PDB file of all heavy atoms in Angstrom:
ATOM      1  N   THR Y   1      -4.160 -20.915  -3.951  1.00 83.00           N
ATOM      2  CA  THR Y   1      -2.846 -20.857  -4.607  1.00 83.00           C
ATOM      3  C   THR Y   1      -2.554 -19.443  -5.098  1.00 83.00           C
ATOM      4  O   THR Y   1      -1.435 -18.933  -4.966  1.00 83.00           O
ATOM      5  CB  THR Y   1      -2.791 -21.829  -5.794  1.00 83.00           C
ATOM      6  OG1 THR Y   1      -3.097 -23.138  -5.344  1.00 83.00           O
ATOM      7  CG2 THR Y   1      -1.414 -21.814  -6.450  1.00 83.00           C
ATOM      8  N   LEU Y   2      -3.578 -18.810  -5.660  1.00 82.00           N
ATOM      9  CA  LEU Y   2      -3.421 -17.435  -6.147  1.00 82.00           C
ATOM     10  C   LEU Y   2      -3.003 -16.499  -5.017  1.00 82.00           C
ATOM     11  O   LEU Y   2      -2.072 -15.700  -5.162  1.00 82.00           O
ATOM     12  CB  LEU Y   2      -4.723 -16.962  -6.786  1.00 82.00           C
ATOM     13  CG  LEU Y   2      -4.721 -15.568  -7.435  1.00 82.00           C
ATOM     14  CD1 LEU Y   2      -5.704 -15.518  -8.583  1.00 82.00           C
ATOM     15  CD2 LEU Y   2      -5.054 -14.474  -6.431  1.00 82.00           C
ATOM     16  N   LEU Y   3      -3.689 -16.615  -3.866  1.00 84.00           N
ATOM     17  CA  LEU Y   3      -3.384 -15.736  -2.735  1.00 84.00           C
ATOM     18  C   LEU Y   3      -1.971 -15.979  -2.213  1.00 84.00           C
ATOM     19  O   LEU Y   3      -1.250 -15.033  -1.873  1.00 84.00           O
ATOM     20  CB  LEU Y   3      -4.404 -15.947  -1.617  1.00 84.00           C
ATOM     21  CG  LEU Y   3      -5.833 -15.489  -1.909  1.00 84.00           C
ATOM     22  CD1 LEU Y   3      -6.760 -15.890  -0.779  1.00 84.00           C
ATOM     23  CD2 LEU Y   3      -5.878 -13.982  -2.137  1.00 84.00           C
ATOM     24  N   GLN Y   4      -1.568 -17.227  -2.155  1.00 84.00           N
ATOM     25  CA  GLN Y   4      -0.225 -17.543  -1.675  1.00 84.00           C
ATOM     26  C   GLN Y   4       0.833 -16.983  -2.612  1.00 84.00           C
ATOM     27  O   GLN Y   4       1.832 -16.406  -2.167  1.00 84.00           O
ATOM     28  CB  GLN Y   4      -0.055 -19.056  -1.533  1.00 84.00           C
ATOM     29  CG  GLN Y   4       1.272 -19.485  -0.918  1.00 84.00           C
ATOM     30  CD  GLN Y   4       1.467 -18.962   0.489  1.00 84.00           C
ATOM     31  OE1 GLN Y   4       0.512 -18.802   1.240  1.00 84.00           O
ATOM     32  NE2 GLN Y   4       2.717 -18.673   0.838  1.00 84.00           N
ATOM     33  N   ARG Y   5       0.599 -17.127  -3.919  1.00 82.00           N
ATOM     34  CA  ARG Y   5       1.554 -16.566  -4.884  1.00 82.00           C
ATOM     35  C   ARG Y   5       1.569 -15.050  -4.800  1.00 82.00           C
ATOM     36  O   ARG Y   5       2.618 -14.406  -4.918  1.00 82.00           O
ATOM     37  CB  ARG Y   5       1.186 -17.015  -6.297  1.00 82.00           C
ATOM     38  CG  ARG Y   5       1.467 -18.490  -6.561  1.00 82.00           C
ATOM     39  CD  ARG Y   5       1.118 -18.867  -8.001  1.00 82.00           C
ATOM     40  NE  ARG Y   5       1.342 -20.283  -8.253  1.00 82.00           N
ATOM     41  CZ  ARG Y   5       1.049 -20.882  -9.403  1.00 82.00           C
ATOM     42  NH1 ARG Y   5       0.511 -20.182 -10.404  1.00 82.00           N
ATOM     43  NH2 ARG Y   5       1.279 -22.171  -9.564  1.00 82.00           N
ATOM     44  N   LEU Y   6       0.400 -14.454  -4.610  1.00 81.00           N
ATOM     45  CA  LEU Y   6       0.304 -13.001  -4.476  1.00 81.00           C
ATOM     46  C   LEU Y   6       1.148 -12.515  -3.308  1.00 81.00           C
ATOM     47  O   LEU Y   6       1.911 -11.542  -3.428  1.00 81.00           O
ATOM     48  CB  LEU Y   6      -1.155 -12.593  -4.278  1.00 81.00           C
ATOM     49  CG  LEU Y   6      -1.458 -11.102  -4.134  1.00 81.00           C
ATOM     50  CD1 LEU Y   6      -1.101 -10.351  -5.399  1.00 81.00           C
ATOM     51  CD2 LEU Y   6      -2.929 -10.883  -3.785  1.00 81.00           C
ATOM     52  N   TYR Y   7       1.028 -13.209  -2.186  1.00 85.00           N
ATOM     53  CA  TYR Y   7       1.810 -12.845  -0.992  1.00 85.00           C
ATOM     54  C   TYR Y   7       3.310 -13.012  -1.229  1.00 85.00           C
ATOM     55  O   TYR Y   7       4.108 -12.124  -0.924  1.00 85.00           O
ATOM     56  CB  TYR Y   7       1.365 -13.695   0.197  1.00 85.00           C
ATOM     57  CG  TYR Y   7       2.317 -13.630   1.359  1.00 85.00           C
ATOM     58  CD1 TYR Y   7       2.429 -12.477   2.133  1.00 85.00           C
ATOM     59  CD2 TYR Y   7       3.126 -14.722   1.675  1.00 85.00           C
ATOM     60  CE1 TYR Y   7       3.323 -12.415   3.186  1.00 85.00           C
ATOM     61  CE2 TYR Y   7       4.020 -14.675   2.729  1.00 85.00           C
ATOM     62  CZ  TYR Y   7       4.116 -13.515   3.486  1.00 85.00           C
ATOM     63  OH  TYR Y   7       5.001 -13.464   4.527  1.00 85.00           O
ATOM     64  N   GLU Y   8       3.690 -14.137  -1.783  1.00 82.00           N
ATOM     65  CA  GLU Y   8       5.117 -14.426  -1.982  1.00 82.00           C
ATOM     66  C   GLU Y   8       5.765 -13.424  -2.936  1.00 82.00           C
ATOM     67  O   GLU Y   8       6.891 -12.960  -2.699  1.00 82.00           O
ATOM     68  CB  GLU Y   8       5.289 -15.853  -2.502  1.00 82.00           C
ATOM     69  CG  GLU Y   8       4.917 -16.922  -1.478  1.00 82.00           C
ATOM     70  CD  GLU Y   8       4.893 -18.315  -2.074  1.00 82.00           C
ATOM     71  OE1 GLU Y   8       5.064 -18.430  -3.313  1.00 82.00           O
ATOM     72  OE2 GLU Y   8       4.707 -19.288  -1.315  1.00 82.00           O
ATOM     73  N   GLU Y   9       5.068 -13.097  -4.014  1.00 77.00           N
ATOM     74  CA  GLU Y   9       5.636 -12.157  -4.983  1.00 77.00           C
ATOM     75  C   GLU Y   9       5.654 -10.739  -4.414  1.00 77.00           C
ATOM     76  O   GLU Y   9       6.620  -9.988  -4.615  1.00 77.00           O
ATOM     77  CB  GLU Y   9       4.826 -12.190  -6.282  1.00 77.00           C
ATOM     78  CG  GLU Y   9       4.952 -13.484  -7.063  1.00 77.00           C
ATOM     79  CD  GLU Y   9       6.359 -13.710  -7.589  1.00 77.00           C
ATOM     80  OE1 GLU Y   9       7.073 -12.716  -7.844  1.00 77.00           O
ATOM     81  OE2 GLU Y   9       6.749 -14.883  -7.750  1.00 77.00           O
ATOM     82  N   ALA Y  10       4.595 -10.358  -3.699  1.00 78.00           N
ATOM     83  CA  ALA Y  10       4.552  -9.017  -3.107  1.00 78.00           C
ATOM     84  C   ALA Y  10       5.672  -8.836  -2.090  1.00 78.00           C
ATOM     85  O   ALA Y  10       6.250  -7.746  -1.964  1.00 78.00           O
ATOM     86  CB  ALA Y  10       3.203  -8.769  -2.443  1.00 78.00           C
ATOM     87  N   ALA Y  11       6.005  -9.897  -1.358  1.00 81.00           N
ATOM     88  CA  ALA Y  11       7.076  -9.827  -0.360  1.00 81.00           C
ATOM     89  C   ALA Y  11       8.433  -9.573  -1.005  1.00 81.00           C
ATOM     90  O   ALA Y  11       9.348  -9.061  -0.352  1.00 81.00           O
ATOM     91  CB  ALA Y  11       7.114 -11.124   0.444  1.00 81.00           C
ATOM     92  N   GLN Y  12       8.570  -9.923  -2.278  1.00 77.00           N
ATOM     93  CA  GLN Y  12       9.817  -9.667  -3.001  1.00 77.00           C
ATOM     94  C   GLN Y  12       9.917  -8.226  -3.494  1.00 77.00           C
ATOM     95  O   GLN Y  12      11.008  -7.725  -3.758  1.00 77.00           O
ATOM     96  CB  GLN Y  12       9.927 -10.621  -4.207  1.00 77.00           C
ATOM     97  CG  GLN Y  12       9.943 -12.084  -3.848  1.00 77.00           C
ATOM     98  CD  GLN Y  12      11.145 -12.465  -3.015  1.00 77.00           C
ATOM     99  OE1 GLN Y  12      12.260 -12.004  -3.274  1.00 77.00           O
ATOM    100  NE2 GLN Y  12      10.930 -13.286  -2.010  1.00 77.00           N
ATOM    101  N   VAL Y  13       8.762  -7.559  -3.605  1.00 73.00           N
ATOM    102  CA  VAL Y  13       8.732  -6.202  -4.169  1.00 73.00           C
ATOM    103  C   VAL Y  13       8.693  -5.142  -3.085  1.00 73.00           C
ATOM    104  O   VAL Y  13       9.367  -4.119  -3.171  1.00 73.00           O
ATOM    105  CB  VAL Y  13       7.512  -6.031  -5.099  1.00 73.00           C
ATOM    106  CG1 VAL Y  13       7.472  -4.612  -5.682  1.00 73.00           C
ATOM    107  CG2 VAL Y  13       7.551  -7.059  -6.218  1.00 73.00           C
ATOM    108  N   PHE Y  14       7.909  -5.394  -2.045  1.00 77.00           N
ATOM    109  CA  PHE Y  14       7.681  -4.379  -1.018  1.00 77.00           C
ATOM    110  C   PHE Y  14       8.223  -4.834   0.329  1.00 77.00           C
ATOM    111  O   PHE Y  14       8.394  -6.021   0.586  1.00 77.00           O
ATOM    112  CB  PHE Y  14       6.170  -4.091  -0.880  1.00 77.00           C
ATOM    113  CG  PHE Y  14       5.495  -3.767  -2.188  1.00 77.00           C
ATOM    114  CD1 PHE Y  14       4.675  -4.696  -2.802  1.00 77.00           C
ATOM    115  CD2 PHE Y  14       5.686  -2.532  -2.795  1.00 77.00           C
ATOM    116  CE1 PHE Y  14       4.053  -4.412  -4.007  1.00 77.00           C
ATOM    117  CE2 PHE Y  14       5.067  -2.244  -3.996  1.00 77.00           C
ATOM    118  CZ  PHE Y  14       4.252  -3.179  -4.607  1.00 77.00           C
ATOM    119  N   ARG Y  15       8.432  -3.849   1.196  1.00 80.00           N
ATOM    120  CA  ARG Y  15       8.806  -4.144   2.581  1.00 80.00           C
ATOM    121  C   ARG Y  15       7.572  -3.945   3.454  1.00 80.00           C
ATOM    122  O   ARG Y  15       7.002  -2.863   3.477  1.00 80.00           O
ATOM    123  CB  ARG Y  15       9.917  -3.203   3.043  1.00 80.00           C
ATOM    124  CG  ARG Y  15      11.228  -3.373   2.290  1.00 80.00           C
ATOM    125  CD  ARG Y  15      12.264  -2.387   2.785  1.00 80.00           C
ATOM    126  NE  ARG Y  15      13.525  -2.509   2.074  1.00 80.00           N
ATOM    127  CZ  ARG Y  15      14.584  -1.737   2.276  1.00 80.00           C
ATOM    128  NH1 ARG Y  15      14.509  -0.764   3.176  1.00 80.00           N
ATOM    129  NH2 ARG Y  15      15.689  -1.916   1.590  1.00 80.00           N
ATOM    130  N   PHE Y  16       7.162  -4.984   4.160  1.00 84.00           N
ATOM    131  CA  PHE Y  16       5.995  -4.844   5.026  1.00 84.00           C
ATOM    132  C   PHE Y  16       6.076  -5.854   6.159  1.00 84.00           C
ATOM    133  O   PHE Y  16       6.788  -6.859   6.082  1.00 84.00           O
ATOM    134  CB  PHE Y  16       4.693  -5.034   4.245  1.00 84.00           C
ATOM    135  CG  PHE Y  16       4.611  -6.296   3.428  1.00 84.00           C
ATOM    136  CD1 PHE Y  16       4.373  -7.520   4.039  1.00 84.00           C
ATOM    137  CD2 PHE Y  16       4.768  -6.262   2.046  1.00 84.00           C
ATOM    138  CE1 PHE Y  16       4.301  -8.686   3.292  1.00 84.00           C
ATOM    139  CE2 PHE Y  16       4.692  -7.422   1.289  1.00 84.00           C
ATOM    140  CZ  PHE Y  16       4.456  -8.645   1.915  1.00 84.00           C
ATOM    141  N   ASP Y  17       5.342  -5.561   7.227  1.00 86.00           N
ATOM    142  CA  ASP Y  17       5.232  -6.482   8.355  1.00 86.00           C
ATOM    143  C   ASP Y  17       3.959  -7.315   8.261  1.00 86.00           C
ATOM    144  O   ASP Y  17       3.928  -8.464   8.679  1.00 86.00           O
ATOM    145  CB  ASP Y  17       5.235  -5.709   9.680  1.00 86.00           C
ATOM    146  CG  ASP Y  17       6.525  -4.929   9.882  1.00 86.00           C
ATOM    147  OD1 ASP Y  17       7.593  -5.507   9.654  1.00 86.00           O
ATOM    148  OD2 ASP Y  17       6.455  -3.747  10.264  1.00 86.00           O
ATOM    149  N   GLY Y  18       2.886  -6.686   7.754  1.00 87.00           N
ATOM    150  CA  GLY Y  18       1.610  -7.373   7.653  1.00 87.00           C
ATOM    151  C   GLY Y  18       1.073  -7.351   6.235  1.00 87.00           C
ATOM    152  O   GLY Y  18       1.351  -6.428   5.461  1.00 87.00           O
ATOM    153  N   PHE Y  19       0.318  -8.383   5.886  1.00 89.00           N
ATOM    154  CA  PHE Y  19      -0.236  -8.510   4.536  1.00 89.00           C
ATOM    155  C   PHE Y  19      -1.647  -9.057   4.660  1.00 89.00           C
ATOM    156  O   PHE Y  19      -1.890 -10.031   5.382  1.00 89.00           O
ATOM    157  CB  PHE Y  19       0.628  -9.463   3.709  1.00 89.00           C
ATOM    158  CG  PHE Y  19       0.178  -9.647   2.291  1.00 89.00           C
ATOM    159  CD1 PHE Y  19       0.632  -8.802   1.293  1.00 89.00           C
ATOM    160  CD2 PHE Y  19      -0.696 -10.675   1.947  1.00 89.00           C
ATOM    161  CE1 PHE Y  19       0.229  -8.977  -0.031  1.00 89.00           C
ATOM    162  CE2 PHE Y  19      -1.110 -10.853   0.635  1.00 89.00           C
ATOM    163  CZ  PHE Y  19      -0.636  -9.994  -0.359  1.00 89.00           C
ATOM    164  N   ALA Y  20      -2.602  -8.420   3.989  1.00 86.00           N
ATOM    165  CA  ALA Y  20      -3.988  -8.884   4.076  1.00 86.00           C
ATOM    166  C   ALA Y  20      -4.682  -8.692   2.735  1.00 86.00           C
ATOM    167  O   ALA Y  20      -4.368  -7.761   1.981  1.00 86.00           O
ATOM    168  CB  ALA Y  20      -4.745  -8.127   5.166  1.00 86.00           C
ATOM    169  N   VAL Y  21      -5.629  -9.583   2.458  1.00 88.00           N
ATOM    170  CA  VAL Y  21      -6.485  -9.480   1.276  1.00 88.00           C
ATOM    171  C   VAL Y  21      -7.929  -9.562   1.752  1.00 88.00           C
ATOM    172  O   VAL Y  21      -8.286 -10.484   2.503  1.00 88.00           O
ATOM    173  CB  VAL Y  21      -6.193 -10.593   0.259  1.00 88.00           C
ATOM    174  CG1 VAL Y  21      -7.140 -10.478  -0.931  1.00 88.00           C
ATOM    175  CG2 VAL Y  21      -4.740 -10.536  -0.208  1.00 88.00           C
ATOM    176  N   ALA Y  22      -8.734  -8.592   1.323  1.00 85.00           N
ATOM    177  CA  ALA Y  22     -10.151  -8.577   1.699  1.00 85.00           C
ATOM    178  C   ALA Y  22     -11.010  -8.568   0.441  1.00 85.00           C
ATOM    179  O   ALA Y  22     -10.679  -7.899  -0.540  1.00 85.00           O
ATOM    180  CB  ALA Y  22     -10.453  -7.346   2.553  1.00 85.00           C
ATOM    181  N   LEU Y  23     -12.122  -9.303   0.486  1.00 84.00           N
ATOM    182  CA  LEU Y  23     -13.033  -9.380  -0.651  1.00 84.00           C
ATOM    183  C   LEU Y  23     -14.413  -8.895  -0.244  1.00 84.00           C
ATOM    184  O   LEU Y  23     -14.944  -9.266   0.814  1.00 84.00           O
ATOM    185  CB  LEU Y  23     -13.128 -10.815  -1.168  1.00 84.00           C
ATOM    186  CG  LEU Y  23     -11.835 -11.430  -1.726  1.00 84.00           C
ATOM    187  CD1 LEU Y  23     -12.097 -12.857  -2.185  1.00 84.00           C
ATOM    188  CD2 LEU Y  23     -11.281 -10.589  -2.861  1.00 84.00           C
ATOM    189  N   CYS Y  24     -14.999  -8.032  -1.102  1.00 81.00           N
ATOM    190  CA  CYS Y  24     -16.344  -7.508  -0.861  1.00 81.00           C
ATOM    191  C   CYS Y  24     -17.393  -8.605  -0.992  1.00 81.00           C
ATOM    192  O   CYS Y  24     -17.239  -9.543  -1.785  1.00 81.00           O
ATOM    193  CB  CYS Y  24     -16.676  -6.415  -1.878  1.00 81.00           C
ATOM    194  SG  CYS Y  24     -16.249  -4.769  -1.318  1.00 81.00           S
ATOM    195  N   GLN Y  25     -18.471  -8.448  -0.247  1.00 74.00           N
ATOM    196  CA  GLN Y  25     -19.611  -9.341  -0.355  1.00 74.00           C
ATOM    197  C   GLN Y  25     -20.867  -8.498  -0.572  1.00 74.00           C
ATOM    198  O   GLN Y  25     -21.200  -7.653   0.256  1.00 74.00           O
ATOM    199  CB  GLN Y  25     -19.772 -10.168   0.929  1.00 74.00           C
ATOM    200  CG  GLN Y  25     -18.553 -10.998   1.291  1.00 74.00           C
ATOM    201  CD  GLN Y  25     -18.248 -12.069   0.281  1.00 74.00           C
ATOM    202  OE1 GLN Y  25     -19.168 -12.745  -0.203  1.00 74.00           O
ATOM    203  NE2 GLN Y  25     -16.974 -12.254  -0.048  1.00 74.00           N
ATOM    204  N   GLY Y  26     -21.530  -8.671  -1.698  1.00 68.00           N
ATOM    205  CA  GLY Y  26     -22.761  -7.939  -1.958  1.00 68.00           C
ATOM    206  C   GLY Y  26     -22.517  -6.554  -2.537  1.00 68.00           C
ATOM    207  O   GLY Y  26     -21.397  -6.049  -2.566  1.00 68.00           O
ATOM    208  N   ASN Y  27     -23.596  -5.945  -3.013  1.00 67.00           N
ATOM    209  CA  ASN Y  27     -23.517  -4.608  -3.590  1.00 67.00           C
ATOM    210  C   ASN Y  27     -23.175  -3.573  -2.520  1.00 67.00           C
ATOM    211  O   ASN Y  27     -23.686  -3.617  -1.408  1.00 67.00           O
ATOM    212  CB  ASN Y  27     -24.852  -4.242  -4.255  1.00 67.00           C
ATOM    213  CG  ASN Y  27     -25.154  -5.126  -5.454  1.00 67.00           C
ATOM    214  OD1 ASN Y  27     -24.232  -5.617  -6.116  1.00 67.00           O
ATOM    215  ND2 ASN Y  27     -26.442  -5.360  -5.723  1.00 67.00           N
ATOM    216  N   GLY Y  28     -22.363  -2.625  -2.889  1.00 68.00           N
ATOM    217  CA  GLY Y  28     -22.010  -1.554  -1.959  1.00 68.00           C
ATOM    218  C   GLY Y  28     -21.021  -1.957  -0.902  1.00 68.00           C
ATOM    219  O   GLY Y  28     -20.636  -1.155  -0.059  1.00 68.00           O
ATOM    220  N   CYS Y  29     -20.600  -3.201  -0.915  1.00 72.00           N
ATOM    221  CA  CYS Y  29     -19.593  -3.696   0.035  1.00 72.00           C
ATOM    222  C   CYS Y  29     -20.020  -3.409   1.480  1.00 72.00           C
ATOM    223  O   CYS Y  29     -19.297  -2.789   2.248  1.00 72.00           O
ATOM    224  CB  CYS Y  29     -18.224  -3.067  -0.257  1.00 72.00           C
ATOM    225  SG  CYS Y  29     -16.843  -3.984   0.472  1.00 72.00           S
ATOM    226  N   LYS Y  30     -21.197  -3.858   1.838  1.00 76.00           N
ATOM    227  CA  LYS Y  30     -21.690  -3.669   3.202  1.00 76.00           C
ATOM    228  C   LYS Y  30     -20.915  -4.516   4.201  1.00 76.00           C
ATOM    229  O   LYS Y  30     -20.893  -4.235   5.399  1.00 76.00           O
ATOM    230  CB  LYS Y  30     -23.181  -4.004   3.269  1.00 76.00           C
ATOM    231  CG  LYS Y  30     -24.060  -3.086   2.412  1.00 76.00           C
ATOM    232  CD  LYS Y  30     -23.945  -1.639   2.841  1.00 76.00           C
ATOM    233  CE  LYS Y  30     -24.864  -0.744   2.029  1.00 76.00           C
ATOM    234  NZ  LYS Y  30     -24.751   0.687   2.419  1.00 76.00           N
ATOM    235  N   GLU Y  31     -20.324  -5.574   3.715  1.00 80.00           N
ATOM    236  CA  GLU Y  31     -19.449  -6.380   4.545  1.00 80.00           C
ATOM    237  C   GLU Y  31     -18.410  -7.047   3.644  1.00 80.00           C
ATOM    238  O   GLU Y  31     -18.593  -7.143   2.431  1.00 80.00           O
ATOM    239  CB  GLU Y  31     -20.234  -7.438   5.325  1.00 80.00           C
ATOM    240  CG  GLU Y  31     -20.954  -8.455   4.464  1.00 80.00           C
ATOM    241  CD  GLU Y  31     -21.675  -9.500   5.291  1.00 80.00           C
ATOM    242  OE1 GLU Y  31     -21.544  -9.474   6.535  1.00 80.00           O
ATOM    243  OE2 GLU Y  31     -22.344 -10.358   4.696  1.00 80.00           O
ATOM    244  N   TYR Y  32     -17.320  -7.457   4.243  1.00 83.00           N
ATOM    245  CA  TYR Y  32     -16.290  -8.131   3.465  1.00 83.00           C
ATOM    246  C   TYR Y  32     -15.639  -9.209   4.315  1.00 83.00           C
ATOM    247  O   TYR Y  32     -15.784  -9.238   5.551  1.00 83.00           O
ATOM    248  CB  TYR Y  32     -15.230  -7.142   2.954  1.00 83.00           C
ATOM    249  CG  TYR Y  32     -14.460  -6.416   4.036  1.00 83.00           C
ATOM    250  CD1 TYR Y  32     -13.320  -6.986   4.609  1.00 83.00           C
ATOM    251  CD2 TYR Y  32     -14.850  -5.158   4.468  1.00 83.00           C
ATOM    252  CE1 TYR Y  32     -12.606  -6.328   5.580  1.00 83.00           C
ATOM    253  CE2 TYR Y  32     -14.135  -4.484   5.438  1.00 83.00           C
ATOM    254  CZ  TYR Y  32     -13.011  -5.072   5.998  1.00 83.00           C
ATOM    255  OH  TYR Y  32     -12.306  -4.420   6.971  1.00 83.00           O
ATOM    256  N   ARG Y  33     -14.925 -10.089   3.628  1.00 84.00           N
ATOM    257  CA  ARG Y  33     -14.233 -11.176   4.314  1.00 84.00           C
ATOM    258  C   ARG Y  33     -12.730 -11.047   4.104  1.00 84.00           C
ATOM    259  O   ARG Y  33     -12.276 -10.781   2.979  1.00 84.00           O
ATOM    260  CB  ARG Y  33     -14.704 -12.531   3.789  1.00 84.00           C
ATOM    261  CG  ARG Y  33     -14.167 -13.701   4.622  1.00 84.00           C
ATOM    262  CD  ARG Y  33     -14.629 -15.022   4.074  1.00 84.00           C
ATOM    263  NE  ARG Y  33     -14.213 -16.123   4.943  1.00 84.00           N
ATOM    264  CZ  ARG Y  33     -14.279 -17.402   4.609  1.00 84.00           C
ATOM    265  NH1 ARG Y  33     -14.767 -17.745   3.417  1.00 84.00           N
ATOM    266  NH2 ARG Y  33     -13.880 -18.332   5.439  1.00 84.00           N
ATOM    267  N   ILE Y  34     -11.992 -11.220   5.181  1.00 85.00           N
ATOM    268  CA  ILE Y  34     -10.532 -11.209   5.090  1.00 85.00           C
ATOM    269  C   ILE Y  34     -10.093 -12.621   4.723  1.00 85.00           C
ATOM    270  O   ILE Y  34     -10.124 -13.537   5.565  1.00 85.00           O
ATOM    271  CB  ILE Y  34      -9.889 -10.760   6.417  1.00 85.00           C
ATOM    272  CG1 ILE Y  34     -10.372  -9.348   6.778  1.00 85.00           C
ATOM    273  CG2 ILE Y  34      -8.361 -10.798   6.308  1.00 85.00           C
ATOM    274  CD1 ILE Y  34      -9.864  -8.850   8.100  1.00 85.00           C
ATOM    275  N   VAL Y  35      -9.744 -12.790   3.460  1.00 85.00           N
ATOM    276  CA  VAL Y  35      -9.403 -14.129   2.964  1.00 85.00           C
ATOM    277  C   VAL Y  35      -7.929 -14.479   3.163  1.00 85.00           C
ATOM    278  O   VAL Y  35      -7.539 -15.634   2.983  1.00 85.00           O
ATOM    279  CB  VAL Y  35      -9.774 -14.250   1.471  1.00 85.00           C
ATOM    280  CG1 VAL Y  35     -11.285 -14.160   1.292  1.00 85.00           C
ATOM    281  CG2 VAL Y  35      -9.068 -13.175   0.637  1.00 85.00           C
ATOM    282  N   MET Y  36      -7.128 -13.488   3.532  1.00 87.00           N
ATOM    283  CA  MET Y  36      -5.738 -13.762   3.892  1.00 87.00           C
ATOM    284  C   MET Y  36      -5.270 -12.683   4.850  1.00 87.00           C
ATOM    285  O   MET Y  36      -5.487 -11.492   4.618  1.00 87.00           O
ATOM    286  CB  MET Y  36      -4.823 -13.809   2.661  1.00 87.00           C
ATOM    287  CG  MET Y  36      -3.337 -13.924   3.013  1.00 87.00           C
ATOM    288  SD  MET Y  36      -2.264 -14.227   1.589  1.00 87.00           S
ATOM    289  CE  MET Y  36      -2.363 -16.004   1.480  1.00 87.00           C
ATOM    290  N   ALA Y  37      -4.635 -13.092   5.943  1.00 87.00           N
ATOM    291  CA  ALA Y  37      -4.050 -12.152   6.906  1.00 87.00           C
ATOM    292  C   ALA Y  37      -2.769 -12.763   7.449  1.00 87.00           C
ATOM    293  O   ALA Y  37      -2.793 -13.776   8.134  1.00 87.00           O
ATOM    294  CB  ALA Y  37      -5.028 -11.854   8.035  1.00 87.00           C
ATOM    295  N   ILE Y  38      -1.649 -12.148   7.121  1.00 88.00           N
ATOM    296  CA  ILE Y  38      -0.338 -12.684   7.511  1.00 88.00           C
ATOM    297  C   ILE Y  38       0.462 -11.584   8.208  1.00 88.00           C
ATOM    298  O   ILE Y  38       0.486 -10.429   7.761  1.00 88.00           O
ATOM    299  CB  ILE Y  38       0.436 -13.186   6.279  1.00 88.00           C
ATOM    300  CG1 ILE Y  38      -0.306 -14.375   5.650  1.00 88.00           C
ATOM    301  CG2 ILE Y  38       1.863 -13.590   6.659  1.00 88.00           C
ATOM    302  CD1 ILE Y  38       0.349 -14.910   4.397  1.00 88.00           C
ATOM    303  N   GLU Y  39       1.096 -11.942   9.275  1.00 87.00           N
ATOM    304  CA  GLU Y  39       1.976 -11.011   9.989  1.00 87.00           C
ATOM    305  C   GLU Y  39       3.255 -11.737  10.344  1.00 87.00           C
ATOM    306  O   GLU Y  39       3.217 -12.834  10.920  1.00 87.00           O
ATOM    307  CB  GLU Y  39       1.298 -10.483  11.251  1.00 87.00           C
ATOM    308  CG  GLU Y  39       2.076  -9.369  11.934  1.00 87.00           C
ATOM    309  CD  GLU Y  39       1.284  -8.725  13.057  1.00 87.00           C
ATOM    310  OE1 GLU Y  39       0.251  -8.099  12.774  1.00 87.00           O
ATOM    311  OE2 GLU Y  39       1.702  -8.879  14.219  1.00 87.00           O
ATOM    312  N   ASP Y  40       4.382 -11.125   9.998  1.00 84.00           N
ATOM    313  CA  ASP Y  40       5.693 -11.741  10.226  1.00 84.00           C
ATOM    314  C   ASP Y  40       5.763 -13.160   9.660  1.00 84.00           C
ATOM    315  O   ASP Y  40       6.337 -14.066  10.259  1.00 84.00           O
ATOM    316  CB  ASP Y  40       6.023 -11.764  11.722  1.00 84.00           C
ATOM    317  CG  ASP Y  40       6.178 -10.366  12.298  1.00 84.00           C
ATOM    318  OD1 ASP Y  40       6.605  -9.472  11.550  1.00 84.00           O
ATOM    319  OD2 ASP Y  40       5.855 -10.170  13.481  1.00 84.00           O
TER     320      ASP Y  40
END
């Protein structure tokens, strides 16, 4: 729900074609997961 609200509100403020949220996993961010990826 948080991610969906984040996307919806950001779309009202900025102009963009793509939107993504990535979260670090582990110390030093050796890898991360894309928890949201939206285009058009």
